[in-house]
Short mmCIF file of all heavy atoms in Angstrom, two decimals:
data_model
loop_
_atom_site.label_atom_id
_atom_site.label_comp_id
_atom_site.label_asym_id
_atom_site.label_seq_id
_atom_site.Cartn_x
_atom_site.Cartn_y
_atom_site.Cartn_z
N MET A 10 -81.11 -3.82 156.94
CA MET A 10 -80.53 -2.42 156.89
C MET A 10 -81.44 -1.40 157.67
O MET A 10 -82.68 -1.68 157.75
CB MET A 10 -80.45 -1.85 155.48
CG MET A 10 -79.34 -2.58 154.71
SD MET A 10 -77.71 -2.43 155.52
CE MET A 10 -76.91 -1.62 154.09
N SER A 11 -80.79 -0.46 158.26
CA SER A 11 -81.54 0.54 158.99
C SER A 11 -81.19 1.90 158.52
O SER A 11 -80.04 2.12 158.12
CB SER A 11 -81.16 0.31 160.54
OG SER A 11 -81.75 1.34 161.27
N GLN A 12 -82.16 2.79 158.39
CA GLN A 12 -81.85 4.14 157.82
C GLN A 12 -82.60 5.12 158.68
O GLN A 12 -83.71 5.00 159.13
CB GLN A 12 -82.29 4.30 156.41
CG GLN A 12 -81.86 5.58 155.79
CD GLN A 12 -82.18 5.63 154.25
OE1 GLN A 12 -83.39 5.68 153.93
NE2 GLN A 12 -81.20 5.43 153.48
N HIS A 13 -81.90 6.23 159.03
CA HIS A 13 -82.57 7.27 159.72
C HIS A 13 -81.99 8.57 159.34
O HIS A 13 -80.85 8.72 159.02
CB HIS A 13 -82.19 7.07 161.34
CG HIS A 13 -82.94 7.91 162.22
ND1 HIS A 13 -84.26 7.60 162.62
CD2 HIS A 13 -82.68 9.17 162.77
CE1 HIS A 13 -84.77 8.57 163.43
NE2 HIS A 13 -83.73 9.56 163.44
N THR A 14 -82.81 9.69 159.31
CA THR A 14 -82.35 10.94 159.05
C THR A 14 -82.35 11.83 160.31
O THR A 14 -83.17 12.06 161.03
CB THR A 14 -83.24 11.70 158.01
OG1 THR A 14 -83.32 10.81 156.79
CG2 THR A 14 -82.80 13.01 157.57
N TYR A 15 -81.10 12.45 160.58
CA TYR A 15 -80.84 13.33 161.69
C TYR A 15 -80.74 14.79 161.20
O TYR A 15 -80.57 15.02 159.95
CB TYR A 15 -79.61 12.96 162.26
CG TYR A 15 -79.48 11.57 162.84
CD1 TYR A 15 -78.96 10.49 161.98
CD2 TYR A 15 -79.86 11.16 164.00
CE1 TYR A 15 -78.83 9.19 162.31
CE2 TYR A 15 -79.88 9.78 164.41
CZ TYR A 15 -79.32 8.84 163.54
OH TYR A 15 -79.28 7.53 163.93
N THR A 16 -80.93 15.70 162.07
CA THR A 16 -80.70 17.06 161.63
C THR A 16 -79.57 17.62 162.38
O THR A 16 -79.43 17.44 163.57
CB THR A 16 -81.91 17.99 161.87
OG1 THR A 16 -83.06 17.43 161.32
CG2 THR A 16 -81.68 19.34 161.45
N VAL A 17 -78.57 18.14 161.63
CA VAL A 17 -77.28 18.63 162.29
C VAL A 17 -77.24 20.09 162.06
O VAL A 17 -77.42 20.59 160.88
CB VAL A 17 -76.08 18.00 161.66
CG1 VAL A 17 -74.77 18.63 162.12
CG2 VAL A 17 -76.08 16.48 162.01
N SER A 18 -77.04 20.93 163.02
CA SER A 18 -76.89 22.41 162.92
C SER A 18 -75.45 22.82 162.77
O SER A 18 -74.54 22.05 163.32
CB SER A 18 -77.54 23.16 163.99
OG SER A 18 -76.75 23.03 165.13
N GLY A 19 -75.18 23.94 162.07
CA GLY A 19 -73.85 24.47 162.12
C GLY A 19 -72.97 24.23 160.72
O GLY A 19 -71.96 24.81 160.65
N MET A 20 -73.56 23.29 159.94
CA MET A 20 -72.66 23.02 158.69
C MET A 20 -73.06 24.08 157.82
O MET A 20 -74.21 24.28 157.35
CB MET A 20 -73.21 21.74 158.18
CG MET A 20 -72.69 20.48 158.98
SD MET A 20 -73.15 18.88 158.20
CE MET A 20 -74.93 19.08 157.94
N THR A 21 -71.90 24.76 157.27
CA THR A 21 -72.18 25.83 156.32
C THR A 21 -71.41 25.72 154.91
O THR A 21 -71.54 26.47 154.09
CB THR A 21 -71.89 27.26 156.88
OG1 THR A 21 -70.53 27.19 157.38
CG2 THR A 21 -72.85 27.68 158.01
N CYS A 22 -70.53 24.67 154.87
CA CYS A 22 -69.80 24.52 153.52
C CYS A 22 -69.53 23.10 153.37
O CYS A 22 -69.75 22.17 154.23
CB CYS A 22 -68.47 25.36 153.50
SG CYS A 22 -67.09 24.71 154.25
N ALA A 23 -69.02 22.65 152.20
CA ALA A 23 -68.74 21.32 151.87
C ALA A 23 -67.79 20.70 152.69
O ALA A 23 -67.91 19.49 152.99
CB ALA A 23 -68.36 21.28 150.31
N HIS A 24 -66.88 21.51 153.35
CA HIS A 24 -65.89 20.77 154.21
C HIS A 24 -66.51 20.35 155.54
O HIS A 24 -66.23 19.39 156.07
CB HIS A 24 -64.73 21.75 154.48
CG HIS A 24 -63.89 22.07 153.32
ND1 HIS A 24 -63.87 23.35 152.75
CD2 HIS A 24 -63.27 21.28 152.40
CE1 HIS A 24 -63.12 23.34 151.61
NE2 HIS A 24 -62.75 22.06 151.39
N CYS A 25 -67.51 21.13 155.95
CA CYS A 25 -68.35 20.72 157.09
C CYS A 25 -68.95 19.41 156.85
O CYS A 25 -68.97 18.48 157.69
CB CYS A 25 -69.46 21.78 157.44
SG CYS A 25 -68.91 23.38 157.68
N VAL A 26 -69.61 19.40 155.69
CA VAL A 26 -70.31 18.08 155.24
C VAL A 26 -69.27 16.97 155.28
O VAL A 26 -69.67 15.86 155.84
CB VAL A 26 -70.79 18.32 153.82
CG1 VAL A 26 -71.32 16.92 153.32
CG2 VAL A 26 -71.99 19.19 153.84
N ASN A 27 -68.03 17.09 154.77
CA ASN A 27 -67.01 16.14 154.83
C ASN A 27 -66.70 15.53 156.18
O ASN A 27 -66.57 14.42 156.37
CB ASN A 27 -65.76 16.42 154.00
CG ASN A 27 -66.03 16.68 152.57
OD1 ASN A 27 -66.84 16.04 151.96
ND2 ASN A 27 -65.06 17.33 151.90
N SER A 28 -66.56 16.60 157.04
CA SER A 28 -66.21 16.21 158.40
C SER A 28 -67.12 15.41 159.12
O SER A 28 -66.93 14.35 159.76
CB SER A 28 -66.03 17.55 159.28
OG SER A 28 -65.04 18.38 158.70
N VAL A 29 -68.48 15.90 158.94
CA VAL A 29 -69.59 15.08 159.59
C VAL A 29 -69.75 13.64 158.90
O VAL A 29 -69.85 12.63 159.68
CB VAL A 29 -70.93 15.93 159.44
CG1 VAL A 29 -72.11 14.99 159.87
CG2 VAL A 29 -70.85 17.07 160.32
N THR A 30 -69.59 13.67 157.65
CA THR A 30 -69.70 12.37 156.95
C THR A 30 -68.57 11.42 157.40
O THR A 30 -68.86 10.18 157.73
CB THR A 30 -69.50 12.57 155.34
OG1 THR A 30 -70.62 13.45 155.01
CG2 THR A 30 -69.63 11.35 154.69
N GLU A 31 -67.41 11.96 157.56
CA GLU A 31 -66.27 11.09 158.01
C GLU A 31 -66.47 10.47 159.39
O GLU A 31 -66.35 9.35 159.66
CB GLU A 31 -64.92 11.73 157.95
CG GLU A 31 -64.29 11.78 156.55
CD GLU A 31 -63.00 12.60 156.52
OE1 GLU A 31 -62.39 12.86 157.58
OE2 GLU A 31 -62.77 13.16 155.42
N GLU A 32 -66.82 11.26 160.36
CA GLU A 32 -67.08 10.97 161.72
C GLU A 32 -68.21 9.93 161.82
O GLU A 32 -67.90 8.94 162.47
CB GLU A 32 -67.35 12.12 162.58
CG GLU A 32 -66.12 13.02 162.85
CD GLU A 32 -64.80 12.34 163.60
OE1 GLU A 32 -65.26 11.38 164.26
OE2 GLU A 32 -63.85 12.80 163.53
N ILE A 33 -69.22 10.18 161.16
CA ILE A 33 -70.36 9.26 161.28
C ILE A 33 -70.02 7.91 160.62
O ILE A 33 -70.41 6.79 161.06
CB ILE A 33 -71.67 9.78 160.80
CG1 ILE A 33 -72.15 10.94 161.69
CG2 ILE A 33 -72.81 8.81 160.79
CD1 ILE A 33 -73.38 11.76 161.11
N SER A 34 -69.21 7.99 159.52
CA SER A 34 -68.93 6.75 158.73
C SER A 34 -68.02 5.90 159.52
O SER A 34 -67.98 4.59 159.28
CB SER A 34 -68.15 7.15 157.51
OG SER A 34 -69.03 7.79 156.56
N GLU A 35 -67.39 6.48 160.58
CA GLU A 35 -66.55 5.62 161.39
C GLU A 35 -67.26 4.70 162.43
O GLU A 35 -66.80 3.86 162.97
CB GLU A 35 -65.46 6.48 162.20
CG GLU A 35 -64.39 6.89 161.34
CD GLU A 35 -63.46 7.94 161.95
OE1 GLU A 35 -63.58 8.05 163.35
OE2 GLU A 35 -62.63 8.50 161.27
N LEU A 36 -68.59 5.04 162.68
CA LEU A 36 -69.35 4.24 163.54
C LEU A 36 -69.52 2.87 163.01
O LEU A 36 -69.74 2.68 161.92
CB LEU A 36 -70.82 4.94 163.88
CG LEU A 36 -70.73 6.30 164.42
CD1 LEU A 36 -72.07 6.92 164.45
CD2 LEU A 36 -70.07 6.40 165.85
N ASP A 37 -69.59 1.82 164.02
CA ASP A 37 -69.82 0.54 163.66
C ASP A 37 -71.15 0.32 162.78
O ASP A 37 -72.15 0.78 163.30
CB ASP A 37 -69.87 -0.36 164.85
CG ASP A 37 -68.50 -0.72 165.38
OD1 ASP A 37 -67.42 -0.49 164.71
OD2 ASP A 37 -68.41 -1.27 166.50
N GLY A 38 -71.04 -0.38 161.76
CA GLY A 38 -72.23 -0.73 160.95
C GLY A 38 -72.68 0.23 159.98
O GLY A 38 -73.63 -0.08 159.17
N VAL A 39 -72.08 1.36 159.92
CA VAL A 39 -72.52 2.49 159.02
C VAL A 39 -72.13 2.13 157.51
O VAL A 39 -70.89 1.84 157.34
CB VAL A 39 -72.06 3.87 159.39
CG1 VAL A 39 -72.31 4.94 158.37
CG2 VAL A 39 -72.69 4.31 160.70
N THR A 40 -73.03 2.13 156.72
CA THR A 40 -72.70 1.77 155.30
C THR A 40 -72.77 2.97 154.32
O THR A 40 -72.23 3.04 153.24
CB THR A 40 -73.64 0.60 154.69
OG1 THR A 40 -74.98 0.98 154.87
CG2 THR A 40 -73.43 -0.66 155.48
N SER A 41 -73.61 3.99 154.71
CA SER A 41 -73.66 5.10 153.86
C SER A 41 -74.08 6.43 154.78
O SER A 41 -74.90 6.28 155.54
CB SER A 41 -74.56 4.90 152.72
OG SER A 41 -75.62 5.69 152.65
N VAL A 42 -73.62 7.52 154.35
CA VAL A 42 -74.01 8.78 155.00
C VAL A 42 -74.23 9.81 153.87
O VAL A 42 -73.33 9.98 153.06
CB VAL A 42 -72.89 9.39 155.94
CG1 VAL A 42 -73.28 10.67 156.57
CG2 VAL A 42 -72.52 8.29 157.04
N THR A 43 -75.48 10.37 153.80
CA THR A 43 -75.67 11.47 152.82
C THR A 43 -76.16 12.72 153.60
O THR A 43 -76.96 12.60 154.48
CB THR A 43 -76.68 11.00 151.76
OG1 THR A 43 -77.89 10.85 152.40
CG2 THR A 43 -76.30 9.81 150.95
N VAL A 44 -75.58 13.83 153.21
CA VAL A 44 -75.89 15.16 153.89
C VAL A 44 -76.53 16.10 152.81
O VAL A 44 -75.91 16.26 151.84
CB VAL A 44 -74.63 15.69 154.44
CG1 VAL A 44 -74.96 17.08 155.00
CG2 VAL A 44 -73.86 14.82 155.47
N ASP A 45 -77.53 16.66 153.30
CA ASP A 45 -78.16 17.80 152.47
C ASP A 45 -77.82 19.15 153.15
O ASP A 45 -78.29 19.38 154.22
CB ASP A 45 -79.70 17.66 152.35
CG ASP A 45 -80.27 18.80 151.51
OD1 ASP A 45 -80.03 18.84 150.36
OD2 ASP A 45 -80.93 19.64 152.14
N LEU A 46 -76.83 19.72 152.68
CA LEU A 46 -76.24 20.97 153.32
C LEU A 46 -77.24 21.96 153.54
O LEU A 46 -77.27 22.48 154.73
CB LEU A 46 -75.09 21.54 152.44
CG LEU A 46 -74.29 22.68 153.09
CD1 LEU A 46 -73.83 22.51 154.42
CD2 LEU A 46 -73.16 23.11 152.04
N PRO A 47 -78.17 22.53 152.75
CA PRO A 47 -79.06 23.53 153.00
C PRO A 47 -79.97 23.28 154.20
O PRO A 47 -80.22 24.14 155.03
CB PRO A 47 -79.88 23.72 151.72
CG PRO A 47 -79.07 23.16 150.76
CD PRO A 47 -78.28 22.16 151.34
N SER A 48 -80.47 22.00 154.31
CA SER A 48 -81.38 21.71 155.39
C SER A 48 -80.62 21.06 156.70
O SER A 48 -81.32 20.95 157.69
CB SER A 48 -82.43 20.69 154.99
OG SER A 48 -81.80 19.48 154.53
N GLY A 49 -79.51 20.62 156.53
CA GLY A 49 -78.74 20.04 157.58
C GLY A 49 -79.22 18.52 157.82
O GLY A 49 -78.90 17.92 158.78
N ALA A 50 -79.96 18.05 156.86
CA ALA A 50 -80.42 16.65 156.96
C ALA A 50 -79.38 15.63 156.66
O ALA A 50 -78.70 15.78 155.66
CB ALA A 50 -81.65 16.39 156.01
N VAL A 51 -79.10 14.80 157.67
CA VAL A 51 -78.07 13.78 157.52
C VAL A 51 -78.74 12.41 157.64
O VAL A 51 -79.26 12.00 158.54
CB VAL A 51 -76.99 13.92 158.63
CG1 VAL A 51 -75.95 12.79 158.63
CG2 VAL A 51 -76.38 15.26 158.65
N THR A 52 -78.67 11.76 156.38
CA THR A 52 -79.33 10.34 156.31
C THR A 52 -78.31 9.37 156.44
O THR A 52 -77.19 9.40 155.76
CB THR A 52 -80.09 10.30 155.02
OG1 THR A 52 -81.03 11.32 155.00
CG2 THR A 52 -80.71 8.95 154.99
N VAL A 53 -78.39 8.47 157.48
CA VAL A 53 -77.36 7.37 157.78
C VAL A 53 -77.97 6.05 157.49
O VAL A 53 -79.11 5.77 158.10
CB VAL A 53 -76.96 7.49 159.18
CG1 VAL A 53 -75.80 6.51 159.52
CG2 VAL A 53 -76.41 8.98 159.51
N THR A 54 -77.30 5.32 156.69
CA THR A 54 -77.82 3.87 156.51
C THR A 54 -76.82 3.02 157.24
O THR A 54 -75.59 3.20 157.25
CB THR A 54 -77.79 3.58 155.07
OG1 THR A 54 -78.63 4.42 154.31
CG2 THR A 54 -78.37 2.09 154.83
N SER A 55 -77.37 2.01 158.07
CA SER A 55 -76.46 1.12 158.79
C SER A 55 -77.09 -0.28 158.81
O SER A 55 -78.27 -0.56 158.56
CB SER A 55 -76.24 1.62 160.22
OG SER A 55 -77.57 1.90 160.85
N THR A 56 -76.19 -1.24 159.25
CA THR A 56 -76.60 -2.69 159.25
C THR A 56 -77.59 -2.94 160.36
O THR A 56 -78.30 -3.80 160.34
CB THR A 56 -75.43 -3.58 159.30
OG1 THR A 56 -74.62 -3.17 160.40
CG2 THR A 56 -74.51 -3.45 158.04
N ALA A 57 -77.45 -2.09 161.45
CA ALA A 57 -78.35 -2.28 162.60
C ALA A 57 -78.67 -0.82 163.11
O ALA A 57 -77.81 0.10 162.80
CB ALA A 57 -77.76 -3.04 163.62
N PRO A 58 -79.77 -0.66 163.80
CA PRO A 58 -80.07 0.69 164.29
C PRO A 58 -79.05 1.22 165.14
O PRO A 58 -78.36 0.51 165.93
CB PRO A 58 -81.33 0.52 165.15
CG PRO A 58 -82.06 -0.74 164.51
CD PRO A 58 -80.85 -1.55 164.16
N LEU A 59 -78.76 2.55 165.00
CA LEU A 59 -77.56 3.14 165.79
C LEU A 59 -78.07 3.75 167.03
O LEU A 59 -79.28 4.20 167.12
CB LEU A 59 -76.97 4.26 164.95
CG LEU A 59 -76.32 3.90 163.62
CD1 LEU A 59 -75.98 5.11 162.85
CD2 LEU A 59 -75.06 3.04 163.78
N ASP A 60 -77.10 3.76 168.06
CA ASP A 60 -77.37 4.53 169.36
C ASP A 60 -77.45 5.98 169.09
O ASP A 60 -76.41 6.50 168.47
CB ASP A 60 -76.36 4.26 170.41
CG ASP A 60 -76.64 3.04 171.21
OD1 ASP A 60 -77.75 2.49 171.05
OD2 ASP A 60 -75.72 2.59 171.91
N LEU A 61 -78.49 6.61 169.40
CA LEU A 61 -78.45 8.14 169.22
C LEU A 61 -77.30 8.77 169.85
O LEU A 61 -76.66 9.78 169.19
CB LEU A 61 -79.76 8.72 169.83
CG LEU A 61 -80.03 10.24 169.67
CD1 LEU A 61 -79.91 10.74 168.12
CD2 LEU A 61 -81.16 10.66 170.29
N SER A 62 -76.93 8.27 171.00
CA SER A 62 -75.78 8.95 171.65
C SER A 62 -74.56 8.83 170.91
O SER A 62 -73.56 9.64 170.88
CB SER A 62 -75.55 8.31 173.09
OG SER A 62 -75.35 6.97 173.02
N ALA A 63 -74.33 7.72 170.24
CA ALA A 63 -73.07 7.56 169.40
C ALA A 63 -73.10 8.45 168.26
O ALA A 63 -72.02 9.00 167.81
CB ALA A 63 -73.05 6.05 168.92
N VAL A 64 -74.18 8.64 167.58
CA VAL A 64 -74.37 9.56 166.47
C VAL A 64 -74.09 10.98 166.97
O VAL A 64 -73.36 11.74 166.37
CB VAL A 64 -75.70 9.48 165.72
CG1 VAL A 64 -75.80 10.56 164.55
CG2 VAL A 64 -75.90 8.05 165.18
N GLU A 65 -74.66 11.32 168.08
CA GLU A 65 -74.51 12.58 168.66
C GLU A 65 -72.95 12.92 168.91
O GLU A 65 -72.53 14.03 168.67
CB GLU A 65 -75.23 12.68 169.93
CG GLU A 65 -75.61 13.98 170.45
CD GLU A 65 -76.73 14.02 171.55
OE1 GLU A 65 -76.84 12.97 172.33
OE2 GLU A 65 -77.27 15.00 171.73
N ALA A 66 -72.32 11.93 169.57
CA ALA A 66 -70.84 12.06 169.82
C ALA A 66 -70.12 12.24 168.47
O ALA A 66 -69.17 13.01 168.50
CB ALA A 66 -70.42 10.76 170.58
N ALA A 67 -70.41 11.51 167.50
CA ALA A 67 -69.66 11.66 166.16
C ALA A 67 -69.86 12.94 165.57
O ALA A 67 -68.92 13.74 165.21
CB ALA A 67 -70.23 10.62 165.20
N VAL A 68 -71.02 13.61 165.70
CA VAL A 68 -71.38 14.83 165.09
C VAL A 68 -70.57 15.94 166.06
O VAL A 68 -69.95 16.92 165.45
CB VAL A 68 -72.98 15.29 165.21
CG1 VAL A 68 -73.21 16.63 164.93
CG2 VAL A 68 -73.58 14.24 164.23
N ASP A 69 -70.64 15.71 167.30
CA ASP A 69 -69.98 16.56 168.17
C ASP A 69 -68.43 16.55 167.91
O ASP A 69 -67.78 17.67 167.94
CB ASP A 69 -70.21 16.20 169.70
CG ASP A 69 -69.65 17.15 170.63
OD1 ASP A 69 -70.28 18.20 170.85
OD2 ASP A 69 -68.61 16.78 171.20
N GLU A 70 -67.92 15.39 167.67
CA GLU A 70 -66.46 15.26 167.34
C GLU A 70 -66.14 16.08 166.20
O GLU A 70 -65.04 16.55 166.02
CB GLU A 70 -66.20 13.76 167.23
CG GLU A 70 -64.73 13.42 167.11
CD GLU A 70 -63.93 13.61 168.28
OE1 GLU A 70 -64.53 13.56 169.46
OE2 GLU A 70 -62.76 13.95 168.20
N ALA A 71 -67.09 16.04 165.16
CA ALA A 71 -66.76 16.83 163.97
C ALA A 71 -66.83 18.34 164.21
O ALA A 71 -66.44 19.15 163.41
CB ALA A 71 -67.76 16.35 162.84
N GLY A 72 -67.59 18.66 165.29
CA GLY A 72 -67.55 20.19 165.61
C GLY A 72 -68.94 20.76 165.38
O GLY A 72 -69.08 22.01 165.40
N TYR A 73 -69.94 19.87 165.24
CA TYR A 73 -71.23 20.38 165.00
C TYR A 73 -72.27 19.80 166.05
O TYR A 73 -71.85 19.17 166.86
CB TYR A 73 -71.77 19.99 163.54
CG TYR A 73 -70.69 20.48 162.55
CD1 TYR A 73 -69.64 19.69 162.08
CD2 TYR A 73 -70.63 21.92 162.35
CE1 TYR A 73 -68.68 20.05 161.37
CE2 TYR A 73 -69.53 22.36 161.49
CZ TYR A 73 -68.58 21.50 161.02
OH TYR A 73 -67.60 21.97 160.18
N ARG A 74 -73.46 20.14 165.85
CA ARG A 74 -74.56 19.73 166.87
C ARG A 74 -75.73 19.04 166.24
O ARG A 74 -76.34 19.45 165.24
CB ARG A 74 -75.00 20.85 167.69
CG ARG A 74 -75.45 20.63 169.00
CD ARG A 74 -75.45 21.94 169.87
NE ARG A 74 -76.37 22.94 169.27
CZ ARG A 74 -77.74 22.90 169.49
NH1 ARG A 74 -78.33 21.95 170.16
NH2 ARG A 74 -78.46 23.84 168.86
N LEU A 75 -76.06 17.87 166.94
CA LEU A 75 -77.18 17.11 166.51
C LEU A 75 -78.46 17.85 167.18
O LEU A 75 -78.48 17.97 168.37
CB LEU A 75 -77.10 15.68 166.86
CG LEU A 75 -78.06 14.66 166.37
CD1 LEU A 75 -77.74 14.40 164.94
CD2 LEU A 75 -77.99 13.37 167.17
N ILE A 76 -79.42 18.17 166.34
CA ILE A 76 -80.63 18.84 166.85
C ILE A 76 -81.58 17.64 167.34
O ILE A 76 -81.88 16.78 166.54
CB ILE A 76 -81.35 19.63 165.72
CG1 ILE A 76 -80.46 20.60 165.13
CG2 ILE A 76 -82.71 20.31 166.32
CD1 ILE A 76 -80.11 21.87 165.97
N PRO A 77 -82.09 17.79 168.56
CA PRO A 77 -83.04 16.78 169.07
C PRO A 77 -84.21 16.65 168.18
O PRO A 77 -84.78 17.67 167.74
CB PRO A 77 -83.36 17.26 170.52
CG PRO A 77 -82.29 18.19 170.86
CD PRO A 77 -81.90 18.76 169.61
N GLU A 78 -84.76 15.49 167.94
CA GLU A 78 -85.82 15.20 167.12
C GLU A 78 -87.05 16.07 167.40
O GLU A 78 -87.72 16.57 166.62
CB GLU A 78 -86.32 13.77 167.03
CG GLU A 78 -85.15 12.72 167.03
CD GLU A 78 -85.07 12.12 165.52
OE1 GLU A 78 -86.16 11.76 165.16
OE2 GLU A 78 -84.09 11.94 165.01
N GLU A 79 -87.39 16.05 168.77
CA GLU A 79 -88.55 16.77 169.14
C GLU A 79 -88.60 18.30 168.88
O GLU A 79 -89.66 18.85 168.63
CB GLU A 79 -88.86 16.53 170.72
CG GLU A 79 -87.75 16.94 171.69
CD GLU A 79 -86.76 15.80 171.90
OE1 GLU A 79 -86.70 14.92 171.03
OE2 GLU A 79 -86.04 15.77 172.94
N SER A 80 -87.34 18.84 168.81
CA SER A 80 -87.38 20.21 168.36
C SER A 80 -87.35 20.45 166.76
O SER A 80 -87.44 21.64 166.43
CB SER A 80 -86.18 20.99 169.03
OG SER A 80 -84.92 20.48 168.50
N VAL A 81 -87.27 19.38 166.11
CA VAL A 81 -87.21 19.54 164.63
C VAL A 81 -88.64 19.42 164.13
O VAL A 81 -89.15 20.20 163.29
CB VAL A 81 -86.39 18.32 163.93
CG1 VAL A 81 -86.54 18.42 162.54
CG2 VAL A 81 -84.95 18.36 164.40
N ALA A 82 -89.39 18.45 164.70
CA ALA A 82 -90.78 18.19 164.31
C ALA A 82 -91.60 19.41 164.53
O ALA A 82 -92.26 19.90 163.62
CB ALA A 82 -91.41 17.04 165.06
MO1 LIG B 10 -66.23 25.58 155.85
MO2 LIG B 10 -67.53 24.41 158.02
O1 LIG B 10 -64.80 26.86 155.50
O2 LIG B 10 -67.30 24.54 159.89
S1 LIG B 10 -65.46 23.84 157.21
S2 LIG B 10 -67.70 26.49 157.20
#
């Protein structure tokens, strides 16, 4: 199993959380997605490491934006 926490900007309510969760859940190998709304932290568990570009596309599809890691740290 592989787990990674991403930061997503723009989510402000529980429906935003649902949209992001649904889109990311559709990616191959994803087994769980948990979102902390106040911080925008999205923790994704998958059977194999995910392509960042795929996660980024899923977040974009939901209508939000993945914050690059280097600007989070
Ligand atoms: Mo809630 Mo999120 O009304 O874009 S769905 S703010």
Side-chain angles (χ1 to χ4, degrees):
M10 290 300 241
S11 174
Q12 189 175 69
H13 192 84
T14 300
Y15 304 91
T16 303
V17 173
S18 72
M20 297 184 294
T21 54
C22 86
H24 297 117
C25 304
V26 170
N27 288 343
S28 302
V29 169
T30 301
E31 274 176 29
E32 288 296 337
I33 295 177
S34 294
E35 284 175 12
L36 298 176
D37 278 349
V39 172
T40 54
S41 115
V42 180
T43 60
V44 178
D45 181 64
L46 181 55
S48 66
V51 177
T52 301
V53 182
T54 306
S55 52
T56 54
L59 298 171
D60 272 350
L61 179 60
S62 59
V64 178
E65 198 166 25
V68 170
D69 187 74
E70 188 65 32
Y73 307 98
R74 206 162 59 81
L75 194 69
I76 306 286
E78 312 253 319
E79 54 271 24
S80 69
V81 176

